[in-house]
Amino acid sequence: MPIAPGRQPIILGALLLEANHIVSTEHLIDAVWDEDPPSSARSQVQICISALRRLLTFLPVEAEIVRRSPGYQLSITPEDLDAYCFESLVQEAGNLAQAEDVLGAAEMLREALSLWRGPALSGVASQVLESKALRLDESRLTAHETCIDLELELGRHHELIGELTDLVQRNPLRERLRGQLMTALYRSGRQAEALDVYRAGRAHLIEELGLEPGEELRQLESAILAGDESLLLDSPAHVTATAASASVPEQPAAVLSVAPHQLPTDIPDFTGHRSLIETAESFLRGKDAEAVRIVVISGKAGVGKSSLAVHIAHRLSDEFPNGELYRDVRGSQPQTVPPADTLGTFLRSLGIPGPAVPSSVEERTATYRSMLANTQTLVMLEDVESEAQVVPLLPGSAGCAVIITSRTRLTGLPGALQLPVDVMDQEQSLELIGKVIGPDRVAAEPVAAAELTQVVGGLPLALRIVAARLAARPHWSLASMVGRLADERHRLDELAHGEMVVRKSLSLTYESMDERTRRLLRLLSVAESVTIPCWFAAVLLNDDAYRSMDRLEQLVDDQMLDVAGVDAGGDPRYKFHGLIRVFTRERLHENEDEPTRLTVLGRVTGAWLHIAEEAHRRLHGGDYTLLHGSAPRWKLPGHHLDRLLESPLDWLERERGNLCAAVMQAAEHGLDEACWDLAVTLVSLFETRSYFEDWQHTHGKALIATRSAGNLRGMSALMCSLGSMHLNQRRPSLARPLLESALAQFRELGDEHGTALASRNLGLLHYRQGELDRATELYRQALTGFRLHTDLVGEAHVLANMAQIELDLQQYAAAEDRLNRALEIVRETSSRRVEAQVLNKLCKTHLLSGDYERAEQVEGTVLRMVRDIGDIIGESYALQNLGIVYGRQRKFDTSERMLRQAVEVREGIMDHLGASQIRLDLAEILTVKGDTTEALAVAEKALAMFQERQAEQWSRRADEIVATLLDRG
């Protein structure tokens, strides 16, 4: 609409902003002249209104300005207003997003944004209207950000980079946009540019406002630095529950015969719920079931869900000869266990070695279901929060069954048997009390016993606590216990009944303890431990181990702790019931101030650090390839340490959950020095067993803590370690910026050992990218640093890597000399894993130089070594190498046998891609033997797998072999 500049646009804008509402003449005057209107202001407004009325008659919409006291009203159909249409489309998009229609919501927001032609009220100069225009612009920008979030979720990160770059340039202080641009760049493989965007934004914020970026943007930067896979679309965090039902890969040729038995201990005096037990057992025994059988046991806290589920599972264990899998997924806790973690644990329990565990939830679920196909396995999942948490964990085989406990009914699981658990009736309650204190005492006071069950409310947890107190005090009457519980009512009557009766029982038991035991109970809740080892009490109390263990057993007797099992050394492990943990934390905060709590947490972290670094020393023969900080250690007695670390790697594996939790908790509470030290020490486990998620999460959290504390050495150690992780996963673009930053910082700090570690890792990166001169230069720098610090394993590593370059250059004699030196050095340590790596390179050297007899001897040693240490992946490589060696020696039958064994091992761990790579070697041996038909079948099977996995390089090699065999045929 053509409109004269000046007053008319302001008045029209004011009327449009309040369309179909009265706008006073005074407001119009203020909008045009602010605080200095002329005496003719009213008449000038009237003139403008008349002009606007005439112009409105030329528009293709019905709109008119009418006089309404005390001003004017622009009457118009709402649908003819862009602002109204925009708001309606945004609201509809929000509804679609809530209904999980991401594509529809994004398209709707794009339609809404297309209504805009520039900033709101562009060209209208009015301070009065400016604030309303800014609100409209803010709505537009918020909708734009929401639209981009949805489109990022749809995987459109490549297309969005240009648009986001423009938006960030026009809105440099808008952190949400900057974070979206960083995410889009990171997902597009442009990590360095994503970090540059952060640094530019940080500099701008400091310059303009004197402020650091917000917490969300800082965490995003740390996640990008750490290579956090949760930022990627194909990561576990972005896979929906329905995606977990993806196609299952082929059944392995040789499934590992691993039958896990992971159920917690059953309760000897289990009481009640007979009808529920019978119903569950009848359902779970269903031999003619056409789908996996699922039982959901639901009920409030303390009602006995877990005890009932464990009892049923033990009674049915003979029905499931392939074993039982168990996991507490901690749905009611602040830190729940994600499905990806549970699947990884289950796959390892079924015999899949760490390196063969897939990365995504989809692949893990498919592999898990393949492993359980045609088996009879029972799965128990405790403390489930929602259906989404459990769907990826459901087997696909009708021979399997699942028992779930949850505080809510999981009605979204089709075909599941729902078993709600209520409190015990009086008969069951009396039976339970009688089993603990003896039926004679119950019979002697029948009225008091009945009153006791009523006061406790039939909650099994409360009944056991009360009964334990009575059993420990045979001189107490049941009537006196009823009176004691009644005395607590006035303090707890505001609580829900179930929680109230438990608290009353807990309070009585707690108050009856001596102060040292009470304090131990309180302090046990300081750490976020999955289960509690027996030495924990000594650390908490800073006391003698044996006296403290006695106090733990007292807590078990008092029903304040449960025995979770027995560790490898025969010592018990303990755990809290959820409600008891809540109770103890309340007492902790009532009785221990924050500095005391932090001191205790420091001791606990120091104890974990002490044992973990000692485990590393025993694995490698010293503090090799590892940096340590200055955090204090809490040292266990030597003989106790020897018992714990009889098998150091197994101890690290058993305590993995507790160790990772210790890193996270130390980071959250500002214990940055202990945090980074423990995180990098755990790489001994993470690397050996391929716990890449734990590696990434612990280091990412520790990186945030060290950055907040300005701990430059800790940051450098973590970045160096994360770079190593990315090299392990063949992700050089993520490794390079981390390693380069770490190297520069170590040099600035004058840390020679750290410089050596970063140089070694960067050398490997340059080698893989074909930059042999640069790799050699970095290896030499690393070698100097490792020798200065007598890091034998580091020195052996570098010598082996330098020998690899000499092998590539066909300098076989030089490579052999260097590898023999590396072998001498590594044999001074106890690092058998590194020794095996060096021997593998030595075998390759002999093979390339034509010394097949020595190659056979060396690889035979490697095979025995990897079998001794249980390295299944290493075994498959050794078998494959031996197959190749025997082939060169023209021992074709032996070669075929070795290669088939290697294929069988790979198939057994569900590594179909690795098995297919070995099949190509096997096809060549079969061809030489004259069995071209079998060779063709083997090669074609490998080719099909390479094509399915889009492994182009391997597909080309397989294609050539198949084509050659067809030509011969």
Side-chain angles (χ1 to χ4, degrees):
M1 184 174 79
I3 187 169
R7 296 186 294 274
Q8 287 185 21
I10 297 174
I11 291 174
L12 179 60
L15 293 171
L16 282 169
L17 287 171
E18 301 293 340
N20 299 313
H21 292 86
I22 298 170
V23 180
S24 71
T25 304
E26 294 299 325
H27 178 72
L28 294 174
I29 291 171
D30 289 342
V32 176
W33 290 282
D34 199 15
E35 297 179 357
D36 189 24
S39 57
S40 60
R42 285 183 175 273
S43 62
Q44 291 192 48
V45 167
Q46 290 170 355
I47 292 169
C48 289
I49 293 291
S50 298
L52 289 170
R53 282 171 173 163
R54 287 194 300 272
L55 290 171
L56 288 175
T57 60
F58 294 101
L59 292 181
V61 296
E62 293 185 7
E64 62 174 337
I65 301 173
V66 295
R67 174 69 180 171
R68 293 279 190 274
S69 182
Y72 300 91
Q73 176 179 311
L74 174 62
S75 298
I76 187 171
T77 305
E79 287 75 11
D80 291 329
L81 282 169
D82 283 348
Y84 174 85
C85 293
F86 171 75
E87 291 175 358
S88 299
L89 288 168
V90 169
Q91 184 175 358
E92 180 60 27
N95 295 336
L96 290 172
Q98 282 190 339
E100 299 185 357
D101 183 358
V102 178
L103 178 61
E107 290 175 346
M108 191 74 70
L109 285 172
R110 283 292 174 188
E111 184 181 347
L113 293 168
S114 70
L115 298 172
W116 287 78
R117 298 292 182 270
L121 300 183
S122 178
V124 177
S126 170
Q127 292 185 8
V128 172
L129 301 185
E130 184 179 356
S131 62
K132 294 185 178 181
L134 288 173
R135 283 200 295 271
L136 281 173
D137 286 334
E138 175 65 23
S139 298
R140 175 194 186 184
L141 196 52
T142 300
H144 207 154
E145 290 170 332
T146 303
C147 179
I148 288 170
D149 274 339
L150 295 169
E151 290 177 337
L152 282 172
E153 192 172 343
L154 291 168
R156 298 174 181 172
H157 38 276
H158 291 289
E159 303 96 302
L160 289 169
I161 290 174
E163 180 181 358
L164 279 165
T165 300
D166 179 62
L167 284 167
V168 169
Q169 287 175 349
R170 288 190 280 116
N171 303 274
L173 299 178
R174 195 84 174 186
E175 292 193 17
R176 185 179 178 190
L177 285 172
R178 191 170 294 276
Q180 289 171 331
L181 177 55
M182 291 166 64
T183 301
L185 287 167
Y186 178 70
R187 289 182 184 172
S188 301
R190 296 160 65 177
Q191 183 196 32
E193 292 174 67
L195 295 171
D196 285 342
V197 170
Y198 173 82
R199 295 183 189 111
R202 179 176 180 269
H204 193 80
L205 280 166
I206 292 171
E207 181 181 351
E208 293 291 320
L209 305 175
L211 297 174
E212 288 282 344
E215 178 68 18
E216 188 173 347
L217 200 65
R218 292 201 305 272
Q219 288 188 0
L220 177 59
E221 185 227 8
S222 298
I224 291 173
L225 271 173
D228 192 339
E229 290 185 357
S230 68
L231 298 178
L232 302 176
L233 279 176
D234 59 352
S235 69
H238 288 89
V239 178
T240 61
T242 54
S245 59
S247 61
V248 177
E250 61 177 300
Q251 181 71 11
V255 178
L256 295 178
S257 56
V258 176
H261 297 284
Q262 300 178 343
L263 293 177
T265 306
D266 195 8
I267 297 176
D269 57 359
F270 184 87
T271 304
H273 303 306
R274 294 183 186 87
S275 63
L276 292 179
I277 293 170
E278 291 171 2
T279 302
E281 290 183 359
S282 175
F283 180 79
L284 292 170
R285 281 196 174 101
K287 298 296 183 184
D288 300 325
E290 297 180 356
V292 61
R293 291 148 287 165
I294 306 170
V295 171
V296 179
I297 299 174
S298 58
K300 58 189 174 183
V303 82
K305 303 182 297 294
S306 297
S307 299
L308 175 60
V310 169
H311 187 65
I312 293 171
H314 275 284
R315 286 170 60 98
L316 290 172
S317 59
D318 291 342
E319 304 284 330
F320 297 94
N322 299 109
E324 316 94 30
L325 293 165
Y326 168 85
R327 190 69 189 270
D328 180 353
V329 298
R330 300 168 65 85
S332 63
Q333 303 301 313
Q335 294 291 333
T336 61
V337 179
D341 189 80
T342 300
L343 285 166
T345 301
F346 281 175
L347 288 175
R348 286 177 168 87
S349 300
L350 292 167
I352 301 292
V357 173
S359 58
S360 72
V361 172
E362 289 174 300
E363 292 175 306
R364 288 185 180 189
T365 299
T367 304
Y368 167 67
R369 289 175 178 162
S370 292
M371 294 294 290
L372 295 187
N374 303 317
T375 71
Q376 293 172 284
T377 305
L378 180 64
V379 180
M380 180 174 167
L381 302 170
E382 189 173 348
D383 195 12
V384 171
E385 180 184 28
S386 66
E387 290 86 349
Q389 197 177 15
V390 76
V391 166
L393 310 177
L394 299 178
S397 170
C400 297
V402 182
I403 301 176
I404 297 168
T405 70
S406 177
R407 293 189 182 184
T408 58
R409 297 190 182 191
L410 304 177
T411 55
L413 296 176
L417 174 65
Q418 301 287 337
L419 291 182
V421 181
D422 203 351
V423 297
M424 288 182 165
D425 59 28
Q426 187 175 94
E427 180 183 353
Q428 294 172 336
S429 299
L430 290 172
E431 181 183 353
L432 175 56
I433 293 173
K435 284 184 176 180
V436 178
I437 69 172
D440 292 344
R441 290 180 70 182
V442 174
E445 296 182 81
V447 175
E451 290 178 358
L452 187 60
T453 64
Q454 291 172 4
V455 172
V456 172
L459 276 174
L461 177 61
L463 285 165
R464 287 190 177 279
I465 293 168
V466 169
R469 294 297 301 138
L470 286 168
R473 301 289 188 275
H475 54 283
W476 282 11
S477 68
L478 273 63
S480 68
M481 178 59 81
V482 173
R484 289 169 181 270
L485 287 169
D487 288 342
E488 292 283 320
R489 189 180 303 274
H490 69 282
R491 288 196 286 156
L492 299 156
D493 57 5
E494 75 280 3
L495 299 171
H497 176 67
E499 188 176 358
M500 178 181 72
V501 295
V502 173
R503 284 174 183 251
K504 287 191 293 185
S505 308
L506 294 173
S507 294
L508 280 177
T509 301
Y510 177 79
E511 294 300 335
S512 68
M513 298 174 182
D514 64 82
E515 175 52 29
R516 196 76 170 159
T517 306
R518 279 202 299 268
R519 187 159 196 261
L520 172 59
L521 182 63
R522 295 195 298 267
L523 295 181
L524 282 169
S525 66
V526 166
E528 294 284 353
S529 301
V530 181
T531 58
I532 301 166
C534 64
W535 54 263
F536 219 60
V539 180
L540 294 172
L541 295 175
N542 206 15
D543 197 0
D544 174 80
Y546 291 105
R547 284 201 300 269
S548 301
M549 281 178 60
D550 290 342
R551 295 184 188 281
L552 285 172
E553 287 300 312
Q554 182 61 51
L555 292 173
V556 172
D557 293 342
D558 290 339
Q559 299 289 314
M560 303 297 273
L561 277 182
D562 295 327
V563 175
V566 177
D567 65 20
D571 292 324
R573 299 184 68 87
Y574 308 92
K575 67 177 182 179
F576 272 124
H577 186 282
L579 286 181
I580 297 178
R581 183 183 287 275
V582 171
F583 174 86
T584 56
R585 281 191 175 156
E586 289 172 355
R587 295 299 182 270
L588 176 73
H589 285 270
E590 288 173 4
N591 293 274
E592 312 285 351
D593 59 22
E594 186 173 352
T596 301
R597 297 197 299 269
L598 195 60
T599 298
V600 173
L601 182 61
R603 281 205 304 271
V604 170
T605 311
W608 285 121
L609 181 53
H610 167 59
I611 306 172
E613 67 182 357
E614 183 60 30
H616 177 94
R617 290 188 190 109
R618 298 187 185 202
L619 281 170
H620 301 286
D623 285 324
Y624 302 130
T625 65
L626 184 63
L627 298 178
H628 280 306
S630 59
R633 275 66 167 163
W634 198 96
K635 296 185 178 182
L636 270 70
H639 65 278
H640 199 103
L641 205 59
D642 290 340
R643 287 183 61 197
L644 288 177
L645 298 179
E646 185 175 346
S647 174
L649 192 60
D650 288 343
W651 179 85
L652 288 167
E653 178 73 62
R654 286 195 305 272
E655 298 290 3
R656 180 172 67 96
N658 282 337
L659 289 162
C660 290
V663 174
M664 302 297 190
Q665 200 171 7
E668 289 168 3
H669 289 81
L671 301 176
D672 56 287
E673 189 71 4
C675 171
W676 77 257
D677 199 340
L678 181 56
V680 298
T681 302
L682 295 181
V683 171
S684 294
L685 171 67
F686 298 157
E687 185 173 33
T688 304
R689 297 287 170 88
S690 297
Y691 285 119
F692 293 118
E693 295 100 329
D694 290 340
W695 196 339
Q696 181 174 290
H697 293 159
T698 54
H699 282 51
K701 197 78 171 178
L703 199 56
I704 294 171
T706 50
R707 180 174 287 112
S708 297
N711 189 332
L712 298 178
R713 186 166 183 266
M715 288 171 58
S716 303
L718 291 162
M719 288 191 292
C720 184
S721 180
L722 283 168
S724 176
M725 180 194 76
H726 291 312
L727 286 175
N728 266 275
Q729 297 179 295
R730 305 282 173 167
R731 290 151 59 174
S733 62
L734 297 179
R736 183 187 286 271
L738 288 165
L739 293 173
E740 288 177 344
S741 297
L743 180 58
Q745 190 63 64
F746 278 135
R747 284 174 173 166
E748 189 174 329
L749 292 169
D751 190 321
E752 293 172 335
H753 198 190
T755 299
L757 287 167
S759 297
R760 179 199 62 176
N761 293 345
L762 263 178
L764 179 58
L765 185 147
H766 285 286
Y767 167 75
R768 288 180 179 173
Q769 295 182 336
E771 301 166 1
L772 301 189
D773 290 342
R774 178 61 177 149
T776 300
E777 179 187 352
L778 286 163
Y779 284 151
R780 284 175 178 155
Q781 293 172 11
L783 199 58
T784 301
F786 285 137
R787 284 171 174 168
L788 279 171
H789 285 266
T790 322
D791 189 331
L792 300 179
V793 172
E795 183 180 354
H797 260 151
V798 173
L799 288 171
N801 288 348
M802 295 176 77
Q804 183 61 58
I805 294 176
E806 290 164 338
L807 286 176
D808 294 346
L809 298 174
Q810 298 183 1
Q811 299 170 359
Y812 302 136
E816 183 177 348
D817 287 345
R818 205 178 291 276
L819 287 169
N820 283 326
R821 173 62 185 142
L823 200 56
E824 290 174 12
I825 293 169
V826 80
R827 282 176 174 166
E828 295 178 35
T829 74
S830 55
S831 184
R832 302 192 71 193
R833 186 167 178 265
V834 177
E835 183 181 352
Q837 292 169 353
V838 174
L839 285 170
N840 265 321
K841 281 190 170 67
L842 193 57
C843 171
K844 186 177 180 181
T845 305
H846 295 320
L847 192 62
L848 290 171
S849 62
D851 192 344
Y852 303 139
E853 186 176 343
R854 290 177 70 190
E856 178 188 350
Q857 291 172 352
V858 170
E859 201 59 43
T861 301
V862 173
L863 181 60
R864 288 189 295 274
M865 186 179 296
V866 293
R867 281 177 170 168
D868 284 346
I869 62 178
D871 182 355
I872 298 176
I873 295 287
E875 180 180 352
S876 72
Y877 281 125
L879 289 167
Q880 182 182 11
N881 290 340
L882 277 171
I884 294 170
V885 170
Y886 286 127
R888 299 286 175 86
Q889 292 175 309
R890 306 190 65 78
K891 299 176 182 178
F892 299 126
D893 289 341
T894 308
S895 173
E896 179 186 351
R897 189 172 69 254
M898 292 291 107
L899 291 171
R900 288 192 183 279
Q901 286 181 28
V903 169
E904 186 177 356
V905 170
R906 289 283 180 159
E907 290 286 7
I909 60 175
M910 309 298 285
D911 183 7
H912 304 302
L913 190 63
S916 295
Q917 292 167 358
I918 299 169
R919 283 192 178 98
L920 296 186
D921 293 328
L922 178 59
E924 292 180 353
I925 294 298
L926 291 169
T927 302
V928 174
K929 290 180 67 176
D931 193 350
T932 54
T933 303
E934 175 66 9
L936 182 60
V938 168
E940 286 180 333
K941 185 171 185 178
L943 177 60
M945 175 55 62
F946 296 141
Q947 290 173 339
E948 179 185 326
R949 299 291 179 89
Q950 299 180 341
E952 294 180 8
Q953 183 178 352
W954 286 99
S955 290
R956 285 194 295 271
R957 183 184 165 193
D959 219 3
E960 290 170 1
I961 293 173
V962 169
T964 301
L965 289 169
L966 288 172
D967 289 342
R968 290 188 180 185

